[in-house]
Amino acid sequence: MIRSISVALAIAAVVAVVGCGGNDSGSNEGGAYGGGGGEGSTASKPAKSEGAGAPAVVSVASAGDAGKVLVDSRGFTLYFFKKDKGGKSACYGGCAKVWPPLTGTPKGEGGAMASKLGTSERTDGTTQVTYAGWPLYTYTADAKPGDVKGADIDSFGAEWYALHPNGKEAG
């Protein structure tokens, strides 16, 4: 009798361990080691790999005296930072709070040239969209689509410019 109880407990323990091993989806979420989405879990965080993330639409719209410029999915002007070198961002911390980077998987629409779109990995592992080799940013002082308040200003150690669809600075 004691032996059959011991065997039953051993089988139950094996089933419990095997049953907690995860799921069949191939993801690293859930299961005994991947976190199940509770407090402190990393299950809802996106993977930090190239191309991961939501689509980041880049299109073209008219923006005041700047003419046709690149805009994000909400119609807000996209800018580049002259301090960025080699496709890598130099805008972090306070700079990135004022000039939020455009992140995600780039998707060109409405006049944006797909051949000029690319990505660059930021130091935090997020993927920033680039255009003609320049990392792209929005500007928090732009209150509505069509605003170009960040064009031709010096901020955080260098100049900021909107971009024409050909990849040249608008100014």
Side-chain angles (χ1 to χ4, degrees), residues 37-152:
E39 186 172 309
S41 168
T42 59
S44 64
K45 293 182 182 175
K48 292 182 177 182
S49 63
E50 190 78 356
V57 174
V58 176
S59 61
V60 178
S62 293
D65 293 339
K68 299 261 184 202
V69 298
L70 298 180
V71 298
D72 69 6
S73 63
R74 300 176 307 138
F76 281 81
T77 302
L78 293 168
Y79 298 91
F80 76 96
F81 187 33
K82 285 278 190 159
K83 195 173 183 180
D84 291 346
K85 299 290 180 215
K88 297 290 184 186
S89 177
C91 182
Y92 291 92
C95 177
K97 288 183 180 174
V98 175
W99 299 91
L102 179 65
T103 60
T105 304
K107 179 181 179 188
E109 293 181 354
M113 296 181 201
S115 63
K116 294 193 179 295
L117 285 168
T119 60
S120 177
E121 186 173 344
R122 294 180 57 78
T123 59
D124 65 0
T126 59
T127 301
Q128 185 167 4
V129 177
T130 63
Y131 195 85
W134 292 104
L136 297 176
Y137 307 84
T138 56
Y139 183 44
T140 56
D142 286 348
K144 64 186 183 313
D147 281 353
V148 205
K149 294 177 182 173
D152 301 322

